[in-house]
Amino acid sequence: MTDFSLRLPSTRFRAVLNLGEKRAASIALPPRFSTPELFADWDDDEATSAIYVAFDDGQLHLECRGTDVAYHFHRGEDEASDTSPWPAADTAVLLEWGTTLALGFHELMPDLMDEIEEAGAWHDAGYSIYVCETEPAQLDLLEVEVEGELLTLPWLGAGHVDNEHIDGDNHPIALLWTPGSDDPDQPIAEAWLDPKTEHPVTRALPGVDWNAVGLPADEVQSWLEGIYLNHHVIPDAQSALLAAVLERMAGVDGVDAS
């Protein structure tokens, strides 16, 4: 089991960004929607953005291309549905807010996502504040707490390893290994997030020559658990800043957007 006491200290990081008009922040959400969990993504190849809004009792997903916004709902682990988990009146306000947020976020793509990525790199380089390059504008100052990573050992086995996302539920990844200096391409273990405990679960894959890998399977699984926590569970500076940007644009961070 990973020792959560062995971790780097958390840090405070500030970023100055141009978030535009923040039109969604002027829409008052019903009390049941006061604390959404927000995530966004940008597909550069398809020029589409996506906003994911999660509550304890359901989710709203929106995808924006140009000025067109498509959406669907989820209830628990159920498949996508056109039917809302919430009453019609509350859903109407949520959709107005969500559509406005999706359009506002999309208008800032891809520059805003590039700036968030650059700000994350500044934090990782040891700087405490990032300021975007901009023409004169009303800017936003955001401050986030970045959790310290768990202290993990470097790979102590033979060859080299890497990890990548794979298809499946609960955000699975595969640990890839190579005996030489080439890019790792042989899957030797997998990890995913247990939705009940929110802690990673790992398994060693069959047919692996663990003597060649240079570590026994249980040690590889323990090492992979720490890697999964650091890179797929504990928010890094970029993830923390993206969440703060969405909350400010959505008007749910307690700061007056006017």
Side-chain angles (χ1 to χ4, degrees), residues 81-100:
S81 172
D82 293 332
T83 303
S84 169
W86 306 289
D90 288 351
T91 298
V93 179
L94 179 66
L95 285 175
E96 179 189 5
W97 168 87
T99 300
T100 304

Side-chain angles (χ1 to χ4, degrees), residues 207-222:
V208 175
D209 183 351
W210 297 106
N211 288 326
V213 171
L215 288 175
D218 59 344
E219 291 188 23
V220 170
Q221 288 180 253
S222 178

Side-chain angles (χ1 to χ4, degrees), residues 8-64:
L8 296 170
S10 297
T11 57
R12 302 295 294 182
F13 183 69
R14 294 183 294 169
V16 178
L17 300 170
N18 184 354
L19 303 182
E21 295 183 46
K22 301 181 288 295
R23 296 183 295 272
S26 65
I27 300 173
L29 286 169
R32 68 165 67 239
F33 299 135
S34 61
T35 56
E37 182 178 347
L38 299 170
F39 181 73
D41 196 12
W42 165 253
D43 187 324
D44 200 40
D45 293 333
E46 299 293 332
T48 60
S49 60
I51 298 285
Y52 306 93
V53 188
F55 305 95
D56 290 339
D57 54 352
Q59 301 175 33
L60 169 64
H61 294 185
L62 307 106
E63 184 175 273
C64 186

Side-chain angles (χ1 to χ4, degrees), residues 52-128:
Y52 306 93
V53 188
F55 305 95
D56 290 339
D57 54 352
Q59 301 175 33
L60 169 64
H61 294 185
L62 307 106
E63 184 175 273
C64 186
R65 182 193 299 269
T67 58
D68 296 325
V69 179
Y71 66 85
H72 64 263
F73 302 96
H74 289 268
R75 187 191 299 269
E77 297 297 322
D78 294 346
E79 296 294 326
S81 172
D82 293 332
T83 303
S84 169
W86 306 289
D90 288 351
T91 298
V93 179
L94 179 66
L95 285 175
E96 179 189 5
W97 168 87
T99 300
T100 304
L101 175 61
L103 288 169
F105 182 79
H106 190 80
E107 289 171 3
L108 300 174
M109 292 297 106
D111 293 345
L112 177 59
M113 198 64 88
D114 290 342
E115 289 171 353
I116 292 172
E117 182 177 350
E118 184 177 10
W122 280 39
H123 169 271
D124 295 344
Y127 299 107
S128 61

Side-chain angles (χ1 to χ4, degrees), residues 168-227:
D169 297 330
N170 303 316
H171 312 290
I173 66 168
L175 180 66
L176 306 178
W177 175 78
T178 181
S181 58
D182 296 332
D183 291 337
D185 59 1
Q186 179 184 340
I188 61 173
E190 292 178 353
W192 61 94
L193 197 65
D194 185 326
K196 294 182 180 179
T197 65
E198 296 188 350
H199 197 275
V201 179
T202 63
R203 75 180 184 105
L205 296 181
V208 175
D209 183 351
W210 297 106
N211 288 326
V213 171
L215 288 175
D218 59 344
E219 291 188 23
V220 170
Q221 288 180 253
S222 178
W223 183 84
L224 179 58
E225 181 183 51
I227 296 300

